[in-house]
Amino acid sequence: MASGGGVDEVSNKQVILKDYVSGFPKESDMYLNASGTIKLKVPEGSNAVLVKNLYLSCDPYMRGRMKQPIPGNETYIEPFKPGSPIVGFGVAKVLDSGHPDFKKGDLIWGMTGWEEYSLITATQTLFKIHHTDVPLSYYTGLLGMPGMTAYAGFYEICSPKKGEHVFISAASGAVGQLVGQLAKLLGCYVVGSAGSKEKVDLLKNKFGFNEAFNYKEEPDLHAALKRYFPEGIDIYFENVGGKMLDAVLLNMRAHGRIAVCGMISQYNLEHPEGVHNLMTVVWKRVRIEGFVCDEYCHLFPKFLELVLPYIKEGKITYVEDVAEGLESAPAALVGLFTGRNVGKQVVVVARE
């Protein structure tokens, strides 16, 4: 640790994106820079926050940020910069602050760098953590962006009613596992799809889904959905896209709702697959709506009010897949796209 002008300067390991990625991301698209340093002080006059990162979140939407931007085809979130650290949601501890809302010692969650320490200037993305009687890592998942996504998508987009038939794809992931449990607590019939026997068992035995199936073992997805939903689907929480969406469209009930949260089957394709059964949207009067979590941040207090008691009563449970150390982050992120993770993928940078 060096000291420059009375300010401690420490080494700061970082995960750097090498270059824009096409096709499936590889670990080699990122590298660990061990030679970086950072001053543990917010620059004079800045309203930034300096944090020590504790937990980092690996999320499928990050794949879109690795692509070279195409003019006129910008997405809702800006791409990563090659040669700079990856950025994503995380949990951190405030070491120094020039911002009136944050003080030294506060725990926060929000957008931070994939590095040991970060100077965060976009403080509007940060939430102070007030409830520390649950695992802190939950703020990368269940109580963070994925949790808010599940809540907003299910309640705000799907307008669910007791007794409705709900299907969730990628159901054991960070978002799907909570959507399923919220639907069950409301009194819905819930079926999920996942990509392994272990995940299917989790859905049925840990998260309380009525049924679950391994889509890799179903040569005919339309027939599989017909088996689990003989009377059709009221609500589809879409995380996969492609062939799954096409099969779902044939099985929707009249006035069904589809909340489009993501389409992980399409993220690594140079030419996205088309959808063939869209005409069913007309004659079944189905509403399909995409959404992004950012537009629902104002509901965060309401979300906590609902979910925290359920967690404490054991009515909501959450499964995390924990990778240890910043150096494990590239493999953890890439693993999302082959379904290697079981549950919410978290990277532990430091526990305190």
Side-chain angles (χ1 to χ4, degrees), residues 107-315:
L107 291 163
I108 56 102
W109 74 269
M111 278 286 171
T112 188
W114 277 29
E115 52 194 354
E116 291 174 290
Y117 302 92
S118 292
L119 182 69
I120 301 172
T121 52
T123 50
Q124 72 277 7
T125 69
L126 303 180
F127 292 85
K128 198 186 289 191
I129 293 173
H130 297 287
H131 302 275
T132 54
D133 51 349
V134 291
L136 275 182
S137 57
Y138 274 14
Y139 289 92
T140 67
L142 175 54
L143 296 175
M145 181 276 291
M148 262 307 296
T149 301
Y151 174 82
F154 186 58
Y155 289 108
E156 299 294 313
I157 307 289
C158 295
S159 311
K161 294 184 275 297
K162 182 179 178 177
E164 288 196 307
H165 296 190
V166 178
F167 176 53
I168 303 154
S169 53
S172 68
V175 176
Q177 53 176 297
L178 180 57
V179 176
Q181 292 177 87
L182 292 174
K184 282 299 295 175
L185 286 163
L186 189 65
C188 297
Y189 167 77
V190 182
V191 179
S193 64
S196 72
K197 183 186 183 306
E198 182 187 4
K199 292 177 183 179
V200 167
D201 289 345
L202 262 183
L203 293 175
K204 293 201 284 196
N205 303 324
K206 192 165 183 74
F207 302 134
F209 283 51
N210 295 88
E211 290 290 350
F213 64 91
N214 181 350
Y215 69 89
K216 292 175 183 172
E217 292 176 354
E218 299 290 348
D220 184 341
L221 291 170
H222 170 47
L225 291 170
K226 188 63 95 198
R227 196 163 73 237
Y228 292 108
F229 295 98
E231 294 166 29
I233 299 165
D234 294 297
I235 289 171
Y236 173 42
F237 201 97
E238 165 70 301
N239 292 309
V240 167
K243 293 179 179 67
M244 185 64 86
L245 175 57
D246 246 344
V248 166
L249 286 169
L250 294 174
N251 286 278
M252 291 299 290
R253 287 170 105 164
H255 303 290
R257 285 87 69 208
I258 299 177
V260 184
C261 174
M263 293 190 175
I264 198 167
S265 72
Q266 306 301 296
Y267 296 167
N268 300 305
L269 303 181
E270 288 299 290
H271 303 288
E273 294 171 322
V275 178
H276 302 277
N277 297 322
L278 271 176
M279 193 57 203
T280 56
V281 172
V282 178
W283 53 271
K284 290 188 177 176
R285 288 87 75 205
V286 172
R287 180 163 58 82
I288 303 178
E289 187 173 347
F291 70 102
V292 293
C293 180
D294 296 12
E295 292 182 354
Y296 296 93
C297 287
H298 62 285
L299 296 178
F300 187 61
K302 197 174 152 192
F303 161 68
L304 285 184
E305 216 173 274
L306 174 83
V307 173
L308 279 169
Y310 280 144
I311 296 170
K312 288 166 187 171
E313 292 161 21
K315 289 180 179 170

Side-chain angles (χ1 to χ4, degrees), residues 97 99-103 106 128:
S97 173
H99 196 286
D101 292 350
F102 303 100
K103 62 181 194 301
D106 282 349
K128 198 186 289 191

